[in-house]
Amino acid sequence: MRKFNIRKVLDGLTAGSSSASQQQQQQQHPAGNREPEIQETLQSEHFQLCKTVRHGFPYQPSALAFDPVQKILAVGTQTGALRLFGRPGVECYCQHDSGAAVIQLQFLINEGALVSALADDTLHLWNLRQKRPAILHSLKFCRERVTFCHLPFQSKWLYVGTERGNIHIVNVESFTLSGYVIMWNKAIELSSKSHPGPVVHISDNPMDEGKAIHSVAWHHEGKQFICSHSDGTLTIWNVRSPAKPIQTITPHGKQLKDGKKPEPCKPILKVEFKTTRSGEPFIILSGGLSYDTVGRRPCLTVMHGKSTAVLEMDYSIVDFLTLCETPYPNDFQEPYAVVVLLEKDLVLIDLAQNGYPIFENPYPLTIHESPVTCCEYFADCPVDLIPALYSVGARQKRQGYSKKEWPINGGNWGLGVQSYPEIIITGHADGSVKFWDASAITLQVLYKLKTSKVFEKSRNKDERPNTDIVDEDPYAIQIISWCPESRMLCIAGVSAHVIIYRFSKQEVITEVIPMLEVRLLYEINDVESPEGEQAPPLPTPVGGATPQPIPPQSHPSTSSSSSDGLRDNVPCLKVKNSPLKQSPGYQTELVIQLVWVSGEPPQQITSLAVNSSYGLVVFGNCNGIAMVDYLQKAVLLNLGTIELYGSNDPYRREPRSPRKSRQPSGAGLCDISEGTVVPEDRCKSPTSGSSSPHNSDDEQKMNNFIEKVKTKSRKFSKMVASDIAKMSRKLSLPTDLKPDLDIKDNSFSRSRSSSVTSIDKESREAISALHFCETFTRKADSSPSPCLWVGTTLGTVLVIALNLPPGGEQRLLQPVIVSPSGTILRLKGAILRMAFLDTTGCLVPPAYESWREHNVPEEKDEKEKLKKRRPVSVSPSSSQEISENQYAVICSEKQAKVISLPTQNCAYKQNITETSFVLRGDIVALSNSICLACFCANGHIMTFSLPSLRPLLDVYYLPLTNMRIARTFCFTNNGQALYLVSPTEIQRLTYSQETCENLQEMLGELFTPLETPEAPNRGFFKGLFGGGAQSLDREELFGESSSGKASRSLAQHIPGPGGIEGVKGAASGVVGELARARLALDERGQKLGDLEERTAAMLSSADSFSKHAHEMMLKYKDKKWYQF
């Protein structure tokens, strides 16, 4: 039976109402020519939103567990997340609804189940036999705090230790509490390996109350155990002589002469005691260093025989586990590796090799190696890209890893239904850029580029006079622009620098790093100019003129000062002036830096675009726009935003009043405005409060006052910039966003409305979107030509015409001529994205030049150069004819418009949101068609058809809780999207119905039906330390028949949603059938076992009854009736 989907019905209704409104809109915007009808194939049933996978290191880890038979690792976090890892490529993410911290995890070994204990005193039983694990049962303790759990191998009784020192027993089959309780004040003698000793996490040692026990580990024979203590000692105890320990060791204590006790050390937080058949046991511990090792990194100590190895870790140790060959605790353990869970890393140490090398980690856990500052997602890339990036990245791998295979290798891969290549690019705070292969819902690092290599590193603080714009992370990546076809890469960094890279498979040595400096300045006159529209003269000629080639400099110009002693014409970073060896991969083509102007630091770059076919890069900030020809290394355009308008400026730009002085600032990776976070990639200048009233008419006083304001403005600017930069590094910013702020848009983001009457009411107009294309620049154009479309934060779209010389040699000799075309379009809200469709509604991608190797011998190079640049890729119905037209799709924070070209009529319009604003908008391909996908600050994800902008999907998904989500959310082709869900993890999602349906097949399986290894032969001592009778003893001890039911007020049983899900999950595939059959057999076996026990009990009672009957008969056989 088909499920009834209310969302699709609502979608249908909204589509119907929107089509009516669009008809009205089309009437409001009558086209010059009748718009041709374009058949749209996308419908609301093509869309569905769901999370797919989560990659990266579990954020704030708190617990660790390992199944030695299934070879699955589980990690719990402080936010209630659960991450499960099998073989490379098999990963799973689950979440506890309460969000409480996971304090402990225990696998039901080889059973496909896991018990999690949470800080809110709940226990949960997870079913791992389905692709998406679910909770089968939960148990909430009401009167006691849970501190520790212990589940013996092949036992159904889970020991739960509490804060009061009591131990409760839980039946993991029914997930109910036994009536049996081990009270803290009752010492009971149990001579079994599963003595409740290990259960209590922290308890007072009865022999020495000053030592808190932190952990206990047993020798496999059950005769001895080892305790770790808060004074850095280990004590080894014999079960037979509990009066005192047989040995006390201080692993890191200095042995003093005269037989004195060693000095106390830091607490040993955990110890493990593992035996081997041929040799000494391993004692592995964390902590215990002496107090005089100040500043030493956290350590794991491995003691084996007489050798002690101290292994330093990069981060503090959360937990560790020793991986052993056997799951049986009463057999020789044969440890082969130690898995160490650190605060920000997962390390696996090989115990079998000398020197204890680490295994090379195959999981993508290094996303956060340096904090992520931006990311881009590309689906359906050219097929040769991933192999090319992999081949150059393979050379970057570290050496010295263990030669063995990664030992956590459980589970099975899913079926790779998606065949197209996907690449994720992440930009980081240290200036590095990482390329990841993200095909078929996996993630693997391909290549890492360090952009900071071109700059001089300052050795001390005195040598850093110019990086005032940011105190920390001056190389942090802000924007990435990448052309997959030509492999040209362009990055914009936080110090107002742009670097252009070419991809090459050859190593080169660059003698002089080509570089340009750009003085991008725009200032509204304070009082002198009544109109406030004249901009100061610019060093480079404006549009229309031939460019002024600037010879590439080997290093930045030396610091120069203007007449008033302010820093001027100096970039923020110093480019290396020594030869640079560039390895195969991405190699620097050109470095562009904005410079200081009259004591003002350069404003940070807010938008960036590169085009390989034209050989141009363009970038803008809140001062204006600059275009550079990276082939000729020349600045082509350098204009203040106002000059782009010419005489068509729609705004009445009034002079700034000294009463409300505006403070320009170098905005960081996140922009702050009046204490709230403004999640946008643009520069917004914080406005200072009103200065003291100025009533004097004396001109001299006025000028002095203006100077003071300017000086304070500069100081404030630097302070804000440095604060912002510091905050940008900590990407999980706490915000004070209240729900009502999402509704009252103006309180959340200052002045996003298009009504701008005073410059005091809004920030300076910044360039927010750039798009190279080949289209109609003016209404009168009969054919498309190369141009640049520029979008600003005030909702204006301006068009700049490009006159390119012919290809080949001429391209390097003749200048590129650029000139504003006069075309101006208006939208409500800042412009976010632009794209172009041909007359059939197909996407017209920007022109590109296919990649070729540049570092080849001269002869080949000459032949290559003869090839003209690749023509613009337009759809088969090429728009060269006059009758054919194009459509411009423009998305702003508030609305989307489809403009018919060349007539420039508005064909379609859609108001996306009234009360919030769009954070990210992308024009993407899906199901052989295209659509506009938007993510709003109020948490809604929406898609619209093109060109008619019919609403197809509107789902409330994720409220904007911090800057990190706003900066990293991106959509790509084939219904894929992602964002950084925590500082260390990427969350991928899909908005495609087809992908949602195929997801179950694509996900890997965690559980594989495996035989449990044979139990060890116990020989003569069978039954002495754990035997066949023990399970019966436990059953008698803890079972309901002997210990009764537990008090209902002690714990509450909550059935989980995983029961039905488990059946559904297991129903898919042969493995599911096998698992079900095995479960049924297990249950049947248990039932038969129970039956056998009952039969035996009945036989025995029948036996005793017949015996009693026989005795009675003998007693009364010879007596007469009257003798009774």
Side-chain angles (χ1 to χ4, degrees):
M1 194 181 91
R2 268 192 75 167
K3 280 202 286 188
F4 181 71
N5 194 330
I6 188 74
R7 176 176 59 75
K8 287 178 184 171
V9 173
L10 291 171
D11 276 354
L13 291 170
T14 52
S17 64
S18 67
S19 60
S21 66
Q22 276 150 16
Q23 282 168 15
Q24 290 169 8
Q25 284 160 9
Q26 281 163 297
Q27 286 162 14
Q28 289 166 15
H29 303 275
N33 306 324
R34 192 175 58 81
E35 298 298 340
E37 192 63 43
I38 293 174
Q39 192 63 43
E40 293 178 0
T41 55
L42 284 179
Q43 301 299 328
S44 61
E45 46 269 20
H46 290 107
F47 295 89
Q48 185 184 335
L49 196 72
C50 70
K51 290 180 183 178
T52 52
V53 281
R54 185 174 288 203
H55 303 296
F57 182 76
Y59 183 54
Q60 296 178 325
S62 56
L64 183 67
F66 182 68
D67 185 324
V69 180
Q70 287 289 323
K71 300 277 173 61
I72 296 285
L73 187 78
V75 177
T77 75
Q78 291 178 29
T79 53
L82 202 57
R83 291 284 295 281
L84 296 140
F85 298 93
R87 65 180 61 202
V90 176
E91 279 184 47
C92 182
Y93 158 76
C94 318
Q95 177 69 45
H96 292 93
D97 291 339
S98 67
V102 179
I103 56 171
Q104 209 180 348
L105 295 170
Q106 287 271 312
F107 273 103
L108 276 67
I109 294 170
N110 204 26
E111 293 294 330
L114 175 78
V115 173
S116 59
L118 269 57
D120 63 355
D121 311 310
T122 52
L123 302 178
H124 302 277
L125 180 66
W126 289 86
N127 176 15
L128 308 183
R129 290 176 180 244
Q130 55 197 70
K131 288 191 171 184
R132 291 210 151 173
I135 293 172
L136 287 169
H137 301 281
S138 300
L139 197 63
K140 167 83 175 161
F141 280 77
C142 305
R143 294 193 304 202
E144 293 195 58
R145 305 299 312 267
V146 174
T147 55
F148 198 80
C149 298
H150 174 64
L151 179 67
F153 179 46
Q154 291 184 326
S155 166
K156 71 174 186 179
W157 301 105
L158 172 77
Y159 300 101
V160 181
T162 68
E163 203 170 42
R164 292 182 187 174
N166 301 329
I167 297 165
H168 298 275
I169 318 293
V170 174
N171 181 335
V172 288
E173 288 174 359
S174 60
F175 228 61
T176 53
L177 210 55
S178 160
Y180 194 95
V181 183
I182 303 169
M183 303 302 282
W184 66 273
N185 54 356
K186 290 181 185 174
I188 61 163
E189 290 277 333
L190 278 182
S191 58
S192 75
K193 65 178 176 61
S194 300
H195 187 284
V199 176
V200 181
H201 193 56
I202 298 176
S203 64
D204 282 341
N205 183 324
M207 299 305 140
D208 184 350
E209 290 180 5
K211 293 181 184 178
I213 295 176
H214 279 274
S215 77
V216 179
W218 284 83
H219 186 281
H220 82 272
E221 289 177 350
K223 293 177 185 176
Q224 291 181 351
F225 61 88
I226 189 167
C227 296
S228 73
H229 299 274
S230 56
D231 63 352
T233 58
L234 296 172
T235 52
I236 299 174
W237 300 76
N238 194 316
V239 174
R240 296 285 170 93
S241 53
K244 64 174 186 175
I246 56 170
Q247 193 181 355
T248 301
I249 311 163
T250 312
H252 296 287
K254 288 179 183 171
Q255 297 298 327
L256 303 173
K257 292 175 184 175
D258 307 328
K260 288 182 182 174
K261 281 186 180 178
E263 289 178 356
C265 294
K266 293 174 185 173
I268 295 174
L269 301 173
K270 183 172 180 178
V271 63
E272 293 211 338
F273 193 11
K274 302 295 177 186
T275 52
T276 56
R277 269 179 218 283
S278 54
E280 298 282 343
F282 281 87
I283 297 174
I284 300 160
L285 55 111
S286 62
L289 294 177
S290 65
Y291 280 102
D292 60 6
T293 52
V294 180
R296 191 164 177 184
R297 292 192 294 182
C299 294
L300 187 83
T301 306
V302 181
M303 300 166 72
H304 184 223
K306 290 181 180 175
S307 76
T308 300
V310 180
L311 310 174
E312 286 198 341
M313 302 291 160
D314 290 336
Y315 307 100
S316 55
I317 297 169
V318 175
D319 199 0
F320 72 88
L321 289 172
T322 311
L323 309 190
C324 302
E325 295 292 353
T326 177
Y328 292 93
N330 56 348
D331 191 11
F332 286 100
Q333 298 297 284
E334 305 295 346
Y336 58 88
V338 182
V339 58
V340 190
L341 178 64
L342 305 175
E343 203 173 31
K344 293 183 181 177
D345 203 0
L346 184 76
V347 176
L348 204 59
I349 298 158
D350 186 351
L351 291 177
Q353 265 179 264
N354 287 338
Y356 305 132
I358 64 167
F359 289 87
E360 185 177 5
N361 197 322
Y363 305 134
L365 302 182
T366 58
I367 291 168
H368 64 288
E369 194 174 22
S370 169
V372 177
T373 51
C374 64
C375 60
E376 293 295 335
Y377 190 8
F378 299 86
D380 217 1
C381 303
V383 288
D384 56 347
L385 251 181
I386 289 174
L389 287 164
Y390 181 81
S391 67
V392 293
R395 303 163 192 244
Q396 300 177 327
K397 292 205 169 171
R398 277 174 50 194
Q399 301 301 312
Y401 290 112
S402 167
K403 294 177 177 66
K404 290 187 179 174
E405 288 282 311
W406 182 255
I408 302 162
N409 55 12
N412 289 304
W413 291 307
L415 299 170
V417 182
Q418 293 175 349
S419 55
Y420 51 85
E422 296 174 73
I423 290 176
I424 294 169
I425 306 178
T426 52
H428 300 263
D430 65 354
S432 59
V433 176
K434 286 184 185 174
F435 290 78
W436 305 81
D437 176 5
S439 311
I441 70 169
T442 61
L443 194 70
Q444 182 186 5
V445 71
L446 290 170
Y447 171 72
K448 180 181 174 181
L449 168 68
K450 292 179 180 172
T451 65
S452 60
K453 278 200 302 189
V454 298
F455 299 110
E456 295 280 6
K457 298 281 193 302
S458 54
R459 285 173 181 79
N460 56 46
K461 286 189 178 176
D462 302 333
E463 290 178 26
R464 292 174 47 190
N466 296 345
T467 58
D468 291 21
I469 190 166
V470 279
D471 283 348
E472 294 179 63
D473 301 325
Y475 312 113
I477 308 293
Q478 272 188 302
I479 310 172
I480 296 166
S481 177
W482 188 51
C483 173
E485 288 79 12
S486 67
R487 305 184 191 171
M488 288 300 294
L489 172 72
C490 193
I491 65 99
V494 76
S495 295
H497 62 281
V498 170
I499 311 177
I500 301 147
Y501 290 93
R502 262 189 210 281
F503 185 85
S504 172
K505 293 180 179 177
Q506 312 290 323
E507 184 177 288
V508 294
I509 293 175
T510 307
E511 292 298 328
V512 176
I513 298 167
M515 89 146 265
L516 289 175
E517 287 177 359
V518 177
R519 186 182 170 94
L520 194 57
L521 165 74
Y522 165 63
E523 187 70 39
I524 299 178
N525 291 342
D526 273 328
V527 185
E528 297 83 350
S529 159
E531 296 85 17
E533 288 184 9
Q534 288 82 23
L538 291 151
T540 45
V542 297
T546 52
Q548 172 194 344
I550 298 175
Q553 297 166 327
S554 60
H555 56 84
S557 53
T558 51
S559 176
S560 63
S561 297
S562 53
S563 54
D564 53 359
L566 297 167
R567 190 176 299 153
D568 198 39
N569 266 2
V570 192
C572 293
L573 302 170
K574 188 179 178 186
V575 174
K576 281 182 183 171
N577 51 15
S578 54
L580 180 70
K581 179 183 166 186
Q582 305 208 67
S583 305
Y586 275 102
Q587 298 170 352
T588 308
E589 173 83 1
L590 178 64
V591 179
I592 307 163
Q593 292 196 85
L594 295 184
V595 295
W596 285 67
V597 178
S598 308
E600 284 291 342
Q603 301 294 301
Q604 286 178 3
I605 290 156
T606 55
S607 55
L608 175 73
V610 65
N611 187 287
S612 57
S613 177
Y614 306 157
L616 302 177
V617 67
V618 62
F619 55 93
N621 63 10
C622 61
N623 279 339
I625 186 170
M627 191 188 295
V628 169
D629 179 342
Y630 66 76
L631 298 176
Q632 294 186 20
K633 313 287 188 280
V635 179
L636 301 177
L637 183 74
N638 181 348
L639 285 180
T641 318
I642 257 187
E643 291 174 296
L644 283 172
Y645 289 97
S647 58
N648 300 328
D649 190 1
Y651 302 108
R652 201 172 87 247
R653 302 188 196 247
E654 294 176 357
R656 278 187 296 160
S657 156
R659 292 167 70 88
K660 293 182 181 174
S661 164
R662 211 165 31 94
Q663 322 289 8
S665 80
L669 292 176
C670 24
D671 308 314
I672 310 299
S673 175
E674 287 186 350
T676 56
V677 177
V678 181
E680 277 309 316
D681 285 356
R682 64 173 157 303
C683 190
K684 293 230 165 193
S685 312
T687 305
S688 70
S690 295
S691 313
S692 56
H694 177 76
N695 301 319
S696 168
D697 296 325
D698 181 28
E699 200 172 321
Q700 184 60 42
K701 283 185 183 175
M702 168 74 93
N703 290 341
N704 289 345
F705 182 77
I706 290 166
E707 279 309 309
K708 274 184 193 170
V709 169
K710 277 187 177 174
T711 315
K712 281 186 179 174
S713 158
R714 285 174 198 124
K715 283 181 184 168
F716 182 75
S717 157
K718 289 174 191 173
M719 188 179 75
V720 170
S722 110
D723 286 352
I724 285 169
K726 282 175 187 167
M727 290 179 80
S728 71
R729 198 157 170 265
K730 301 170 181 68
L731 286 167
S732 52
L733 284 178
T735 64
D736 51 359
L737 307 186
K738 304 287 188 290
D740 59 323
L741 293 184
D742 287 337
I743 299 156
K744 296 172 187 164
D745 179 44
N746 57 346
S747 62
F748 182 79
S749 150
R750 174 203 310 255
S751 160
R752 294 182 181 271
S753 71
S754 56
S755 59
V756 277
T757 51
S758 163
I759 206 80
D760 287 323
K761 288 186 183 169
E762 34 72 37
S763 303
R764 203 182 293 181
E765 185 174 17
I767 308 296
S768 57
L770 295 163
H771 189 86
F772 284 106
C773 56
E774 196 144 326
T775 187
F776 303 92
T777 51
R778 298 175 185 85
K779 286 185 181 181
D781 284 2
S782 58
S783 62
S785 58
C787 57
L788 170 73
W789 285 51
V790 180
T792 77
T793 51
L794 295 185
T796 308
V797 176
L798 303 128
V799 183
I800 295 173
L802 309 174
N803 195 338
L804 298 159
E809 283 294 321
Q810 294 297 308
R811 174 63 185 84
L812 299 174
L813 300 172
Q814 292 184 28
V816 177
I817 297 169
V818 294
S819 54
S821 66
T823 296
I824 293 184
L825 303 167
R826 295 280 303 120
L827 271 81
K828 190 175 157 190
I831 307 297
L832 298 178
R833 192 77 61 212
M834 295 175 278
F836 293 85
L837 314 181
D838 66 11
T839 191
T840 63
C842 296
L843 196 65
V844 180
Y848 61 83
E849 184 183 65
S850 292
W851 178 79
R852 63 185 175 86
E853 181 59 74
H854 271 254
N855 302 323
V856 286
E858 199 63 35
E859 312 84 64
K860 288 185 194 171
D861 206 20
E862 288 304 316
K863 286 178 195 170
E864 290 285 341
K865 274 186 181 174
L866 294 173
K867 294 182 182 176
K868 300 270 174 141
R869 68 177 176 81
R870 183 194 175 288
V872 177
S873 59
V874 250
S875 15
S877 55
S878 171
S879 51
Q880 302 304 312
E881 299 170 37
I882 303 168
S883 58
E884 307 258 320
N885 63 350
Q886 284 189 359
Y887 295 98
V889 181
I890 306 166
C891 175
S892 80
E893 288 180 329
K894 292 287 186 182
Q895 60 182 194
K897 278 187 181 179
V898 174
I899 310 287
S900 181
L901 299 175
T903 59
Q904 294 180 15
N905 291 329
C906 179
Y908 302 98
K909 182 172 91 172
Q910 178 67 249
N911 289 324
I912 299 168
T913 174
E914 292 294 335
T915 56
S916 184
F917 55 93
V918 179
L919 284 164
R920 177 80 183 210
D922 286 293
I923 290 97
V924 290
L926 176 72
S927 305
N928 300 318
S929 189
I930 53 167
C931 65
L932 168 65
C934 298
F935 171 54
C936 280
N938 61 11
H940 282 253
I941 288 176
M942 295 183 259
T943 61
F944 302 91
S945 71
L946 286 174
S948 70
L949 295 173
R950 275 183 304 115
L952 296 170
L953 174 79
D954 184 353
V955 176
Y956 176 74
Y957 170 71
L958 171 86
L960 179 69
T961 49
N962 55 38
M963 269 302 303
R964 186 182 54 251
I965 296 167
R967 283 207 65 85
T968 56
F969 199 103
C970 45
F971 297 97
T972 186
N973 296 331
N974 299 332
Q976 306 292 339
L978 68 79
Y979 62 96
L980 220 70
V981 68
S982 76
T984 62
E985 296 164 292
I986 285 174
Q987 177 68 56
R988 286 164 72 178
L989 53 144
T990 182
Y991 48 96
S992 154
Q993 170 72 31
E994 188 186 356
T995 308
C996 287
E997 284 173 0
N998 293 332
L999 188 59
Q1000 191 71 13
E1001 287 177 43
M1002 291 161 68
L1003 293 171
E1005 287 185 273
L1006 286 165
F1007 181 76
T1008 317
L1010 293 171
E1011 284 297 316
T1012 303
E1014 273 189 41
N1017 288 327
R1018 293 182 190 80
F1020 176 73
F1021 292 103
K1022 185 181 179 184
L1024 194 59
F1025 303 109
Q1030 201 171 3
S1031 56
L1032 181 65
D1033 290 349
R1034 282 202 196 134
E1035 185 66 48
E1036 278 190 11
L1037 192 63
F1038 304 143
E1040 205 175 292
S1041 55
S1042 59
S1043 58
K1045 286 188 177 181
S1047 164
R1048 282 190 180 179
S1049 63
L1050 196 61
Q1052 178 191 356
H1053 177 261
I1054 306 156
I1060 304 157
E1061 287 296 315
V1063 176
K1064 282 183 190 168
S1068 62
V1070 184
V1071 174
E1073 290 299 326
L1074 282 168
R1076 285 228 311 265
R1078 186 171 179 274
L1079 261 173
L1081 278 170
D1082 282 358
E1083 284 169 14
R1084 188 164 171 252
Q1086 281 172 7
K1087 284 174 184 170
L1088 284 170
D1090 290 350
L1091 190 64
E1092 205 175 327
E1093 280 172 24
R1094 282 182 198 158
T1095 310
M1098 283 171 74
L1099 274 169
S1100 127
S1101 71
D1103 216 14
S1104 67
F1105 179 79
S1106 73
K1107 198 171 160 188
H1108 279 295
H1110 188 65
E1111 282 171 5
M1112 288 284 287
M1113 186 266 291
L1114 287 172
K1115 189 177 177 182
Y1116 298 111
K1117 182 171 69 167
D1118 300 321
K1119 290 190 181 181
K1120 304 289 180 193
W1121 66 269
Y1122 51 83
Q1123 289 176 317
F1124 282 105

